[in-house]
Amino acid sequence: MYLSLTSIVFTAERTKDGEVFEIVEYLDRNRDFLESYVIDSIPLNELERWLVKKTTRNIILCESVCDSRTLERCDNKGNQTKKQIFMDLVNSLREDTNEHSILWKLVRCISSSIFADAYRVFKIFPDQSNFVQYFITETNEELLNPTRLIQANSKQVILVLEAAKRGAPWCISRDNHPVNFPETPHSLLKVFGVDIEKDANYILYQPILTATGKTAYVIEMWRVDNIFTDKDEEISSNFLVWGSLALHYCNLYLDKKRERCMSDFLLDVVKAIFEEMVSLDQLIKRILEFAQRLVNADRASLFLVDYRNFELVSTVFDLKFEPGQSRDMEKKDIRMPINRGIAGHVALSGETMNIPDAYSDYRFNREVDEATGYKTISILCMPIKVQGKVIGVVQMVNKRNHDNFDHDDEVAFEIFSTFFGLALHHARLYDRIMRKEQKYRVALEVLSYHNTCRENEVQAIFQDNRALNTNFNDFYLDPYRLSEFEKCKAVITMFDDLFDLSKFDVMTVIRFVLTVKKNYRRVPYHNFDHGWSVAHAMYVILKNDQAKRFDYKMRLALFVACLCHDLDHRGYTNKYMSETASPLAAMYTTSTLEHHHFNITVTILQQDGHNIFSLLTSAEYKEILGLIRHCILATDLAAFFPNLEKLKEIHEGDPKHYRFNWSTPSHRDLAMAISMTAADLSASAKPWNIQIKTVKVIFKEFYDQGDKERAAGRTPIPMMDRNKPNEQPASQVGFLSQICIPCYNMLHRMLPNTKPLYIMALKNLNKWKTKADRILKKQSKNLEEEINQLDIKEVTTDSVTEECNETEESTDEELQEHDFIEPVVSDESESVDDKTSKQGALEEKSSCIEKAWTNVKLDTVSWEETEEVEEKSSCHGIWKNIGEIWVDEDNIISRPINSVKVITNIDDETID
């Protein structure tokens, strides 16, 4: 390998030393001697240093136009030379798309074209007016491809900033700017092989502008002896036009590449978010690792904003990165005021801060560095926002390549911060949900312990062999006669009668019934007594359905749904739950309590030893649960009216097309729903003495809700206002006439043997109307007295009294007529014509009772005050003994047997 003597010749020309010329001439003639001398006498490290220096000189002086002959060619063939240089830059772009590499090649071309002795490049930060960096070129390696940037001295960059502001080439000399002219960079001149004993007196500043017109870099080119001319400025500007274009396309390419990398990067982030969603701390750590990789940061910190205490809270305070090693997360519980430090400023302002020199910013807290010994240089601090609100602050510290965070880092991290914010927000929500779920499980465990029956109770039921001397196949059975223990045994008895207990696990059924009883709250009305009464009513309905219109699974669902239909009832209406913003109302927008009752039913079934359907297949179990849900939701009176209208359309439509058909699933669903409503309202179809007791506890529950509404500043409706007890008869008339009578009328048309429910509901309606009429008479009398006192005119209540008496008499006659009306069902054995002929009268009588009834303003006298008087004045000595059945004058059965018979007041005809 031979060394070129160009550098020696260049030096000889400068020194004009004759001895050097002789040595050069000798060595040129004796290359073998030179080679032998270099190989034998020159150390390898010295030889490598010469090679690097020679390579650098070749790039600077030989690859570009580097002598006077080249300049002459530039005059004659300048365009071709510039084209060649531009093509070299384009080829360099193909090989290397790094902005700094392209920039440095451009700088070498410009400086060598105008014979600059040395040069350096400054990086300008438009957002930091006094912050300037320059590339370090202290060695030959760094001269070829500088990678390090350090901050320039403020005095050193006065003229650099002025040139950046001008945005055009600017020549200066030490004579013209003696005050601000920078000191000669002797170390830089030494790298370029220039005599360091002399001062460099001339500088040419060449700004490099971005596409937006802002100065991104400034080239500082030095000469020791020769002044820069206008020709030098022109050559520099011409080269820069081509070079800036290459640099622009390089940036475009890099931008597209960044976008592609960012897309892949964000895809990885999203995958990580879903993988680490189970742990908030692990998710934060993973996202911070991605953020570090994105901006090439050495340290990362996260602060969450605690607006309640006006503090910043660190969950991951310091995430370190060491190449080749695993990440080390140091979790500390650190709190600091939100108005302190750079992170606090970002949290309050919501603006990104890119600080290249942390110690020059007054907001920087040096205490952490002093305590840890870590040197903070640059900081990129960005807010994490969700719906415009800052929920956290991420702080990146020190780039690992000794560079500073630039605008590209800000843009990339701003895009990333959107995903970071969403991930952090949803991770916190998920974390809260998980914590709530754990609390829910603990609470469920506690509740299941306290709300589950005890084994000694199960054994007591199982071992009790005493028979219940009660006929349960009786619509008019008095539920108040049985104790809770007897009612639980009665449920087992009815369950066995309907579904054959041998097909189930007996202990499981007993345990289920007892736990259901325990999960009814001790409210005045919607308690276990009510649940048992509804289940008993359904038992009688199903027991008397001789045709078994409902299949086995439907009957099972109906009975279980009735038993569980009001589990955990709070004694308040759905409307009240919604108005008071109850958590249940937030969970279910419609049929709030009914959905809750079903969920409690499922919860009980899921407890160990309580699944009475465990012997069924999975498909059968799922089907029965669906039927139970349908039945329980049907007990919401809001669903009753649409169901009733649908049934009316079916019954009143064209018999050829719209007749009720038990084989149609939708028709059966409606029949199940109306049966549930009928069982739920069965208290209104009990004999008068039983219904009176039930009405009292119903209104006790109503009044409790009314008291809470009044305490909350709302006015309760009259029916729930304990200050208006005389509203009870009128409300019962409306309830029976508008809901109960239409329900039982429709039910007995589909299930003929449910007629006793319809009859007793009509009798009770007549009783309530009588009481309401009595209050109306008293109100009319009081009104008459007030009018007489005012001497306005004389008013009598004879007409009112007579009208009321006529109404009561006509109602009794209508009720007697109802006893002879048979129901109409499509699948009965009798012909359609025979059944159709018996339909109309019953519906007409029902509508007569409902018509012309208006609410009246009652006085403060309670109907209950007349109850004792009425009972004393009633004739209890008139009884009829009909086949071991005692019936009073109102046809209320006192001692029913299996075959229930009702004796009318018109004649002695008996109706089954």
Side-chain angles (χ1 to χ4, degrees):
M1 178 179 60
Y2 295 99
L3 295 175
S4 175
L5 300 180
T6 306
S7 60
I8 302 178
V9 174
F10 194 84
T11 306
E13 291 176 352
R14 288 179 176 271
T15 59
K16 308 298 183 182
D17 193 334
E19 295 180 0
V20 173
F21 278 112
E22 292 177 3
I23 295 173
V24 170
E25 184 179 358
Y26 175 79
L27 293 176
D28 284 338
R29 290 197 307 269
N30 298 277
R31 294 296 181 91
D32 295 338
F33 168 76
L34 177 60
E35 179 181 356
S36 176
Y37 173 77
V38 170
I39 293 175
D40 296 338
S41 302
I42 304 300
L44 182 60
N45 58 348
E46 186 71 14
L47 188 60
E48 290 177 350
R49 188 176 65 82
W50 287 1
L51 180 61
V52 172
K53 187 174 182 180
K54 177 58 182 175
T55 303
T56 303
R57 297 288 291 180
N58 284 344
I59 293 174
I60 297 174
L61 300 176
C62 298
E63 291 184 359
S64 301
V65 183
C66 58
D67 53 25
S68 58
R69 293 189 298 273
T70 304
L71 288 177
E72 291 176 359
R73 287 198 301 272
C74 285
D75 292 337
N76 299 327
K77 301 179 181 179
N79 293 334
Q80 183 179 359
T81 303
K82 294 175 184 176
K83 179 180 178 181
Q84 184 61 43
I85 294 174
F86 176 70
M87 292 305 298
D88 292 341
L89 290 175
V90 172
N91 292 332
S92 299
L93 176 61
R94 293 175 181 174
E95 298 173 1
D96 186 2
T97 56
N98 183 274
E99 180 183 354
H100 288 174
S101 298
I102 299 298
L103 169 68
W104 207 250
K105 291 176 183 178
L106 174 61
V107 171
R108 284 200 298 264
C109 289
I110 295 175
S111 61
S112 61
S113 299
I114 61 176
F115 289 100
D117 292 328
Y119 55 84
R120 59 185 172 187
V121 180
F122 294 88
K123 186 174 183 178
I124 308 300
F125 295 84
D127 297 332
Q128 302 287 333
S129 58
N130 296 323
F131 184 80
V132 179
Q133 292 181 322
Y134 67 94
F135 289 90
I136 298 177
T137 54
E138 296 178 349
T139 64
N140 294 325
E141 292 84 352
E142 291 176 337
L143 188 62
L144 285 173
N145 188 20
T147 57
R148 290 189 299 155
L149 280 164
I150 62 173
Q151 184 177 355
N153 188 287
S154 58
K155 295 181 179 180
Q156 188 182 14
V157 297
I158 296 177
L159 297 179
V160 174
L161 292 174
E162 179 64 25
K165 186 177 180 180
R166 288 170 176 260
W170 183 33
C171 296
I172 63 171
S173 63
R174 191 179 297 275
D175 296 334
N176 295 336
H177 295 79
V179 178
N180 296 327
F181 197 86
E183 296 180 359
T184 301
H186 292 289
S187 60
L188 179 66
L189 295 176
K190 182 179 180 180
V191 175
F192 280 90
V194 181
D195 186 1
I196 62 174
E197 296 180 357
K198 296 182 179 180
D199 288 333
N201 300 313
Y202 306 100
I203 301 176
L204 172 60
Y205 289 107
Q206 177 61 64
I208 300 178
L209 307 182
T210 63
T212 59
K214 293 183 179 180
T215 301
Y217 301 95
V218 173
I219 308 174
E220 184 184 65
M221 292 171 284
W222 294 77
R223 278 185 184 174
V224 177
D225 297 323
N226 301 321
I227 190 173
F228 289 102
T229 64
D230 294 339
K231 186 66 174 178
D232 295 327
E233 291 185 20
E234 181 182 355
I235 294 174
S236 175
S237 298
N238 291 339
F239 273 104
L240 192 62
V241 171
W242 296 102
S244 297
L245 184 60
L247 201 61
H248 174 67
Y249 280 103
C250 172
N251 287 329
L252 290 179
Y253 171 78
L254 292 177
D255 289 341
K256 292 298 180 182
K257 187 176 180 180
R258 279 193 214 97
E259 291 178 3
R260 177 61 184 272
C261 293
M262 177 62 76
S263 300
D264 297 338
F265 176 78
L266 293 178
L267 184 60
D268 293 338
V269 171
V270 172
K271 291 180 180 179
I273 289 173
F274 285 102
E275 290 174 358
E276 302 293 341
M277 188 64 76
V278 294
S279 171
L280 177 61
D281 294 334
Q282 289 299 322
L283 175 64
I284 292 173
K285 177 186 174 183
R286 287 292 302 275
I287 294 180
L288 282 181
E289 289 176 355
F290 278 111
Q292 282 182 291
R293 194 178 80 188
L294 180 65
V295 298
N296 203 24
D298 185 54
R299 297 287 181 98
S301 303
L302 172 66
F303 297 90
L304 299 179
V305 181
D306 182 1
Y307 286 102
R308 178 179 300 176
N309 299 315
F310 211 61
E311 290 178 331
L312 291 178
V313 184
S314 68
T315 56
V316 180
F317 176 72
D318 192 9
L319 188 66
K320 305 174 184 178
F321 176 80
E322 296 180 4
Q325 298 184 15
S326 61
R327 305 292 176 99
D328 177 26
M329 183 179 69
E330 183 179 359
K331 183 180 178 183
K332 301 178 181 179
D333 186 14
I334 297 179
R335 288 179 173 267
M336 65 180 186
I338 198 172
N339 57 355
R340 182 181 178 185
I342 294 174
H345 178 79
V346 172
L348 291 176
S349 64
E351 299 176 354
T352 300
M353 292 187 66
N354 187 356
I355 303 174
D357 184 14
Y359 280 83
S360 65
D361 196 298
Y362 69 92
R363 292 161 296 196
F364 176 66
N365 183 13
R366 306 185 183 189
E367 296 177 0
V368 178
D369 280 9
E370 294 173 357
T372 60
Y374 185 79
K375 176 70 174 179
T376 300
I377 300 174
S378 58
I379 296 176
L380 176 61
C381 196
M382 181 167 289
I384 303 299
K385 299 180 180 180
V386 174
Q387 296 179 347
K389 182 179 181 181
V390 178
I391 65 171
V393 175
V394 175
Q395 186 170 277
M396 297 292 164
V397 179
N398 292 355
K399 270 210 163 187
R400 293 199 300 272
N401 59 359
H402 306 288
D403 200 350
N404 292 98
F405 300 106
D406 54 19
H407 180 68
D408 293 335
D409 295 325
E410 295 181 28
V411 173
F413 196 74
E414 185 175 0
I415 297 174
F416 174 76
S417 66
T418 303
F419 288 84
F420 197 171
L422 291 175
L424 186 60
H425 177 66
H426 288 287
R428 293 175 70 180
L429 292 179
Y430 183 80
D431 186 66
R432 291 177 185 175
I433 292 173
M434 293 301 294
R435 293 178 185 273
K436 296 290 186 183
E437 183 180 358
Q438 299 303 324
K439 292 181 180 179
Y440 165 75
R441 289 182 178 179
V442 174
L444 185 61
E445 182 182 358
V446 173
L447 291 176
S448 64
Y449 174 79
H450 291 287
N451 288 346
T452 303
C453 65
R454 301 290 177 263
E455 283 302 315
N456 61 330
E457 298 174 335
V458 178
Q459 293 298 327
I461 294 287
F462 180 73
Q463 296 174 4
D464 186 78
N465 297 321
R466 291 173 297 177
L468 295 174
N469 297 322
T470 305
N471 176 30
F472 294 109
N473 188 16
D474 177 14
F475 284 106
Y476 302 150
L477 177 66
D478 184 0
Y480 297 102
R481 292 167 45 190
L482 302 175
S483 65
E484 285 192 349
F485 184 85
E486 292 175 328
K487 286 178 180 176
C488 292
K489 285 196 62 177
V491 172
I492 307 299
T493 302
M494 293 185 290
F495 192 91
D496 182 30
D497 188 21
L498 288 175
F499 312 113
D500 188 2
L501 197 58
S502 62
K503 297 180 180 179
F504 300 83
D505 183 80
V506 177
M507 301 301 289
T508 300
V509 174
I510 296 174
R511 192 176 294 110
F512 175 79
V513 173
L514 290 174
T515 299
V516 166
K517 177 183 74 68
K518 199 166 186 178
N519 279 268
Y520 270 95
R521 297 196 179 192
R522 295 191 177 277
V523 293
Y525 175 65
H526 289 97
N527 47 40
F528 178 69
D529 292 338
H530 170 66
W532 185 91
S533 298
V534 175
H536 169 259
M538 182 57 67
Y539 164 79
V540 182
I541 293 174
L542 297 176
K543 184 71 175 175
N544 288 274
D545 179 22
Q546 304 298 333
K548 293 189 181 297
R549 297 169 178 84
F550 298 114
D551 62 26
Y552 180 83
K553 284 180 284 190
M554 290 179 182
R555 296 198 303 274
L556 182 60
L558 284 167
F559 184 78
V560 174
C562 285
L563 184 66
C564 303
H565 82 286
D566 271 336
L567 279 172
D568 196 45
H569 199 292
R570 285 88 191 283
Y572 308 119
T573 62
N574 281 333
K575 182 180 179 182
Y576 177 82
M577 302 287 283
S578 178
E579 291 176 348
T580 56
S582 168
L584 284 179
M587 293 172 60
Y588 314 107
T589 55
T590 59
S591 302
T592 300
L593 288 169
E594 287 71 25
H595 278 101
H596 180 60
H597 304 326
F598 172 71
N599 285 339
I600 297 297
T601 304
V602 175
T603 301
I604 294 175
L605 288 170
Q606 290 176 344
Q607 296 184 27
D608 292 338
H610 288 75
N611 188 2
I612 59 177
F613 307 120
S614 59
L615 300 180
L616 302 178
T617 65
S618 177
E620 290 174 333
Y621 177 64
K622 183 177 180 181
E623 181 182 358
I624 286 183
L625 280 186
L627 292 173
I628 292 175
R629 181 180 184 275
H630 168 71
C631 291
I632 292 180
L633 294 183
T635 59
D636 185 1
L637 285 181
F640 163 70
F641 295 102
N643 292 335
L644 183 64
E645 289 300 319
K646 292 177 183 178
L647 286 170
K648 285 182 178 179
E649 290 178 5
I650 293 172
H651 281 283
E652 296 173 1
D654 185 354
K656 296 181 180 180
H657 302 286
Y658 298 99
R659 199 66 172 174
F660 185 89
N661 190 343
W662 284 95
S663 62
T664 303
S666 60
H667 291 190
R668 289 200 308 268
D669 290 342
L670 290 172
M672 292 179 71
I674 210 73
S675 299
M676 286 296 300
T677 304
D680 193 18
L681 305 178
S682 59
S684 63
K686 294 287 186 180
W688 179 253
N689 63 322
I690 301 175
Q691 204 208 4
I692 288 298
K693 298 178 183 179
T694 306
V695 169
K696 288 182 179 180
V697 295
I698 289 176
F699 276 94
K700 182 179 179 182
E701 191 171 285
F702 284 171
Y703 292 157
D704 289 344
Q705 176 176 322
D707 294 341
K708 290 185 177 295
E709 290 178 337
R710 186 180 293 102
R714 294 192 297 269
T715 302
I717 61 176
M719 184 176 65
M720 296 186 177
D721 192 345
R722 69 171 62 252
N723 298 325
K724 300 178 180 180
N726 45 20
E727 294 285 350
Q728 292 183 13
S731 65
Q732 285 300 298
V733 170
F735 177 71
L736 287 165
S737 61
Q738 298 173 18
I739 298 176
C740 299
I741 300 301
C743 175
Y744 293 127
N745 182 19
M746 183 58 66
L747 180 69
H748 118 280
R749 295 177 66 180
M750 295 184 297
L751 300 173
N753 293 335
T754 61
K755 182 179 179 181
L757 295 173
Y758 183 44
I759 293 175
M760 192 56 66
L762 288 171
K763 289 178 176 292
N764 289 332
L765 173 61
N766 189 39
K767 287 275 190 178
W768 286 114
K769 288 184 65 176
T770 302
K771 291 184 178 295
D773 288 341
R774 185 180 296 113
I775 296 176
L776 177 61
K777 295 175 185 179
K778 187 173 182 60
Q779 177 67 24
S780 300
K781 182 178 180 181
N782 293 339
L783 179 61
E784 179 183 2
E785 293 176 355
E786 292 177 4
I787 294 175
N788 291 333
Q789 291 176 2
L790 295 175
D791 293 328
I792 297 177
K793 68 176 182 177
E794 183 177 358
V795 179
T796 64
T797 59
D798 294 339
S799 59
V800 178
T801 303
E802 182 180 357
E803 181 180 353
C804 292
N805 291 335
E806 291 176 357
T807 303
E808 182 175 353
E809 293 174 1
S810 62
T811 305
D812 290 337
E813 294 175 357
E814 293 166 356
L815 183 60
Q816 295 168 8
E817 292 179 7
H818 291 323
D819 293 341
F820 292 95
I821 300 175
E822 292 295 332
V824 179
V825 182
S826 61
D827 58 353
E828 291 295 311
S829 58
E830 57 183 323
S831 65
V832 175
D833 294 336
D834 293 337
K835 288 181 280 187
T836 304
S837 62
K838 300 179 181 180
Q839 287 182 351
L842 188 59
E843 297 178 2
E844 293 177 1
K845 302 305 180 183
S846 176
S847 61
C848 291
I849 296 176
E850 299 177 18
K851 69 179 180 178
W853 187 263
T854 58
N855 290 330
V856 296
K857 180 179 180 182
L858 305 176
D859 58 16
T860 57
V861 178
S862 172
W863 62 271
E864 295 184 22
E865 297 178 2
T866 64
E867 185 66 25
E868 296 181 0
V869 178
E870 179 184 356
E871 291 179 357
K872 291 179 180 179
S873 60
S874 299
C875 180
H876 295 285
I878 303 177
W879 293 89
K880 297 179 183 180
N881 187 354
I882 307 296
E884 298 183 358
I885 302 175
W886 287 95
V887 183
D888 66 5
E889 60 177 352
D890 290 327
N891 302 316
I892 297 178
I893 300 174
S894 176
R895 298 178 184 175
I897 58 176
N898 291 338
S899 179
V900 179
K901 299 182 180 181
V902 179
I903 307 303
T904 67
N905 290 332
I906 297 180
D907 52 34
D908 293 332
E909 182 178 356
T910 303
I911 302 177
D912 293 334

